[in-house]
Structure formats: C-alpha cells, structure tokens
Amino acid sequence: MFIAASFMVSCKDISLKSSKNADPLDVIETLSNDISSKSDDWSKEDWDDAADLLENALGDLPDRLTDDESTIVSSAVSRMKVYGERHRRKASGLLEALEKFSPAEEEPAIVEAETKPEPAKAAEQPVAAAPAPAPAPAPKVSVAGLLPAHVIREGGYTNVRQGPGTNYAIVTKVKDGNAIYYTAYNANWCNVYNTAGQFLGYMHKSKVIPDGAPAAPAATSRRAAVATGTVYDWLAQRYVTDADVRNLNSSQLRILRNAIYARHYRKFQDASLRNYFNTFQWYDGYRNEIPASELNKYEKYNIQFIQRYE
C-alpha cells in the first residue's frame, strides 16, 4: 500500500516536468488530499495546474492495479469529483480530466489480500454498492417562482444531492438554519437554490422549512437513525472472527472498527477517516458522540475484537 504521508505534493509547489518522475499513485492520492484540505483558497490557475498533474498521473497508471491500488484510485477520484463539483467554475479542467478516466468505479471497501482463503461465511462479507445514477438535469425556473425557506435546525449541515434520492451523489452541504429558496419537485424532494437564486440541487422535503413555519427541534428525527444498506451492515449482524481480520493491515482494521460508528453518523475529527467515509453516499457525519446504549451486542463485541488486532 502506498504511503502518501511520506510524499508531500502540492499542485502549487510541483512542476509538471518534475511530477513525471513521481509515482502516479502517490501523485493521485496526495493531490486528492490537497484538494480536500486546501482547494477552498485555490484560484483557477491552481485548479488548472491540478488538472494537468492529474491527467499526467492517470495516463501513467499501469494497465493492471492491485486491489489496494484500485481502492486508492477509486477513493481519490470520488473525492476529487465532490470538490470539483463544489468549485465547478474554477475546476472545469479537473472535471474534464476526471471524465476521460472512467474505470469501473466502485465505492472503496475493506478488501482482503489475494492470498487469503475464503472465509466460511463469504456471503456475509461487505460488497461494493452499485454506482450512483447520473445527475438529474437542473430545472428551469424563474427567480420570481421561488419560495423562501430555511433548512431544518439540527446543529450541523444538510446534504444537497445531484438528484431526488439518497443514491445520488452529494454535491454540497447547507448549514442548518440557513436561508434558501425552493420549489417542489415531487412528494419527497425539493429543488433548492441559494439566496442569489442559483440552483444547488435536491434536498429532502423533511429538511426544508417554508418561511413562517416553526423551526423543528434539534435532531429529533435523526437522533436514533442508523445507516442501512451499506457495505458494513454485517458488523451489526454477526460477530467478527479471526478469519475476517487476520490479513488486514492496521489502517484497514482502523477503518473497519470506525465503520461501526460511521453507520451511526459519527462526526470524525481525524481527517483521513472523515475523507474516507465521505466517499460513501450513506454517510452524513453530524454526531459528536455515539452512546454505548445505541450499539447492539455485535457492534460492542466487534469494536473490542478488532481493536485487539490493531
């Protein structure tokens, strides 16, 4: 597995000529981390430099990647798409480079070494989720037809998605309580706009409070919610065994253990965990702590079991 921490690269500090000698996987992973942590301050020129670096690195990838390498590329590409969409005006070159690279993109999951024997309960192992559908087209509506509203007050951020469903990618987040405009899309989703009338995407109607309506109490509807239909549901359905973890490295074990908390929407302070789980459609980290009383017997046992291997 490649360790990007020992190879610090910034698209502001490395020339295209010198990057040709760098390992393409290191460049892709480090560029993804830079975009996640620094891109809010980037100019269009910085984004264009990043696009050149990315296109060169993607072109230099070997024809065949190992499972670990594929996970690195898939996670990095997904993360760059999220931030590229967020800064679309300046990041058009980066998005074009990503569109040219179209492997079978699956959400990153904990994978086992190729030499590991099949576990006794292979059918219960996590599998990658199906790819998200294509973004829904932006609606055409005049500003005069928009309705004023605000986002439900839950003490965090509410997701805005590319289409009317949780299987669509998250394009941005709106701070809870902020003013927005909206129009009805269907029985469950709304088209939402910023206060300048610019279309943002789709938000579930339960989060959109028309102006004049009372604000909802904090987090009453989501406090006990647990994400389902994820690649990690099995961690709440059976006990982890030695066969499940004996060939996983410490980083993979750490992700597996924290996936239990991620399904309960834990807000991770660690950037690497936060960036990893943000690549999943189901993750929405808004809770600072997960009480032990909300974990079932399998989750409590599995946290301690995996921690012994770490």
Side-chain angles (χ1 to χ4, degrees):
M1 188 168 182
F2 294 85
I3 307 299
S6 62
F7 183 75
M8 296 304 295
V9 173
S10 169
C11 67
K12 290 186 174 183
D13 302 327
I14 185 168
S15 69
L16 297 179
K17 181 176 180 181
S18 63
S19 70
K20 292 180 180 178
N21 297 323
D23 187 291
L25 279 159
D26 283 337
V27 173
I28 291 170
E29 186 177 26
T30 307
L31 182 58
S32 172
N33 291 334
D34 282 351
I35 288 174
S36 301
S37 60
K38 304 173 184 176
S39 61
D40 285 344
D41 299 325
W42 282 3
S43 66
K44 187 176 188 309
E45 182 179 351
D46 296 326
W47 280 103
D48 289 342
D49 289 345
D52 289 338
L53 278 175
L54 175 63
E55 194 154 13
N56 287 341
L58 291 175
D60 290 339
L61 282 177
D63 293 334
R64 189 172 185 84
L65 299 176
T66 66
D67 287 342
D68 280 347
E69 291 168 344
S70 295
T71 298
I72 291 171
V73 174
S74 296
S75 176
V77 167
S78 297
R79 197 183 310 162
M80 283 188 272
K81 282 184 179 179
V82 170
Y83 286 89
E85 289 289 350
R86 187 177 299 176
H87 301 278
R88 173 171 282 277
R89 285 188 178 180
K90 294 189 290 186
S92 57
L94 182 81
L95 292 173
E96 289 176 5
L98 290 171
E99 286 174 4
K100 296 176 186 177
F101 179 72
S102 55
E105 292 181 14
E106 297 180 344
E107 291 180 333
I110 295 293
V111 294
E112 300 173 2
E114 293 181 359
T115 56
K116 180 177 179 177
E118 283 292 319
K121 296 185 179 181
E124 299 182 57
Q125 295 303 304
V127 294
K140 295 181 179 179
V141 63
S142 65
V143 175
L146 302 180
L147 302 172
H150 56 275
V151 180
I152 190 169
R153 299 179 187 277
E154 292 190 334
Y157 291 83
T158 295
N159 293 330
V160 179
R161 297 184 178 272
Q162 286 183 333
T166 55
N167 54 335
Y168 287 88
I170 298 169
V171 293
T172 189
K173 294 175 184 278
V174 179
K175 187 174 182 180
D176 294 340
N178 276 11
I180 56 171
Y181 286 97
Y182 78 101
T183 57
Y185 178 80
N186 60 24
N188 296 314
W189 293 83
C190 296
N191 301 321
V192 294
Y193 306 76
N194 62 20
T195 53
Q198 178 185 6
F199 177 67
L200 299 177
Y202 298 79
M203 185 180 292
H204 196 272
K205 71 171 186 178
S206 64
K207 312 302 180 186
V208 178
I209 309 300
D211 279 4
T220 54
S221 63
R222 294 198 303 188
R223 188 163 292 157
V226 178
T228 58
T230 80
V231 297
Y232 296 111
D233 284 4
W234 66 282
L235 290 166
Q237 297 166 357
R238 69 171 176 87
Y239 296 117
V240 174
T241 66
D242 290 334
D244 294 320
V245 299
R246 69 164 63 102
N247 286 329
L248 299 183
N249 61 38
S250 59
S251 176
Q252 292 171 320
L253 288 166
R254 183 167 177 254
I255 288 175
L256 194 64
R257 175 171 57 83
N258 280 284
I260 296 172
Y261 295 111
R263 291 183 63 251
H264 291 265
Y265 305 119
R266 171 76 178 271
K267 183 194 297 183
F268 295 105
Q269 300 302 316
D270 182 271
S272 62
L273 288 173
R274 187 169 61 250
N275 290 335
Y276 174 79
F277 287 109
N278 273 334
T279 64
F280 292 93
Q281 307 294 336
W282 50 264
Y283 178 67
D284 182 14
Y286 69 96
R287 305 181 66 189
N288 290 323
E289 295 295 337
I290 308 301
S293 59
E294 290 188 19
L295 303 176
N296 68 24
K297 63 179 182 180
Y298 298 115
E299 293 171 310
K300 292 175 181 177
Y301 174 89
N302 291 341
I303 288 170
Q304 295 182 359
F305 185 91
I306 297 170
Q307 202 161 29
R308 288 201 298 270
Y309 274 79
E310 286 185 76

